[in-house]
Amino acid sequence: MKGREQKLTFREMGTILRRAFSVNLRTKSAVTVVINLLGFGFAFLPVLAARKLQVFTDALQGYLVSDVLPVGPVVLLFLQVIALFLVQELYASLSQYALGADAIRTQRYIKRKIVQCQCRVQYRYIENDDGFQQKISFAESYAGERTAQSMQSLINILQNLVMLCVITLELGRVNPWVVVAVLATSFPAAVLAYQESDDTYHVRF
């Protein structure tokens, strides 16, 4: 219960995020940096695909209603829609590859830091003073992998925030009340998911 009572302040959370982001950038390769930078541009792709799909459906409806409209522009719009969705899926695969590759490099970085820590500590900690060995074991077995995944997810979270803002603006153009309804239904779910994750962590550790 003692661990549950200790809550991080916003300043401490900001410091942790800043350090995690620094490690995130330090462990990336040139290829994954390029993929992540492209991701901020691809955050606009779902809205562009939705708009192109709307134009295609309007053109298809016009073609079916009227015999005067040529079929060529409708087919071209259809191919453009397919191309946008294929590009979206291709980037999703590249993003997963970058996430996995960077997570592996981050795990190696964390293990190297753990070894350096073990080499510098005082002898009494080697004898397991203050539960040192348990902490090292936890960092090597569980915390290292989860921390690596969390660090490398920071860029994806920023990209998703950009995508969320773009989609929110697009929905606001259609009907502002749609945005209000989505936010009102999503916020409680996010709070419950956070509480469940927090409870799961404290039950395990």
Side-chain angles (χ1 to χ4, degrees):
M1 296 301 294
K2 183 179 179 181
R4 178 179 284 276
E5 294 173 357
Q6 296 176 348
K7 295 293 185 179
L8 293 175
T9 63
F10 286 106
R11 184 176 181 179
E12 291 173 336
M13 291 175 62
T15 302
I16 292 173
L17 287 175
R18 186 172 65 252
R19 291 179 179 177
F21 192 74
S22 175
V23 173
N24 187 327
L25 295 178
R26 197 178 305 150
T27 55
K28 285 184 176 297
S29 66
V31 175
T32 56
V33 168
V34 172
I35 293 175
N36 289 147
L37 290 177
L38 289 175
F40 289 98
F42 280 102
F44 296 87
L45 197 59
V47 173
L48 294 177
R51 288 186 178 182
K52 185 63 66 174
L53 182 61
Q54 179 184 6
V55 174
F56 166 70
T57 53
D58 291 342
L60 181 61
Q61 183 179 7
Y63 171 77
L64 295 176
V65 172
S66 175
D67 296 333
V68 180
L69 294 177
V71 70
V74 178
V75 174
L76 181 60
L77 287 171
F78 175 73
L79 294 177
Q80 290 175 354
V81 171
I82 294 298
L84 286 174
F85 281 105
L86 288 177
V87 170
Q88 196 170 350
E89 289 299 318
L90 175 62
Y91 176 75
S93 300
L94 289 176
S95 180
Q96 285 298 116
Y97 160 77
L99 184 63
D102 288 338
I104 292 174
R105 276 189 291 271
T106 305
Q107 281 184 269
R108 292 173 181 171
Y109 175 86
I110 293 174
K111 289 182 178 180
R112 186 166 63 250
K113 288 297 182 181
I114 290 174
V115 172
Q116 293 174 359
C117 177
Q118 289 175 313
C119 293
R120 292 196 303 262
V121 297
Q122 299 177 7
Y123 181 78
R124 63 188 180 92
Y125 289 109
I126 298 178
E127 293 294 326
N128 201 27
D129 186 28
D130 197 25
F132 179 76
Q133 294 297 335
Q134 285 84 353
K135 294 175 182 177
I136 290 295
S137 177
F138 171 75
E140 288 179 339
S141 60
Y142 182 81
E145 180 181 355
R146 294 300 296 269
T147 303
Q149 294 175 352
S150 299
M151 286 180 179
Q152 296 305 328
S153 298
L154 288 175
I155 298 294
N156 288 358
I157 292 173
L158 292 176
Q159 293 172 353
N160 290 335
L161 285 176
V162 174
M163 185 185 302
L164 177 63
C165 292
V166 173
I167 294 176
T168 301
L169 292 175
E170 188 68 14
L171 290 175
R173 291 176 62 251
V174 178
N175 191 336
W177 288 108
V178 175
V179 178
V180 175
V182 171
L183 293 178
T185 54
S186 300
F187 183 74
V191 173
L192 290 175
Y194 171 78
Q195 291 179 346
E196 182 180 359
S197 299
D198 187 60
D199 291 339
T200 302
Y201 176 83
H202 286 97
V203 167
R204 289 182 178 180
F205 310 106

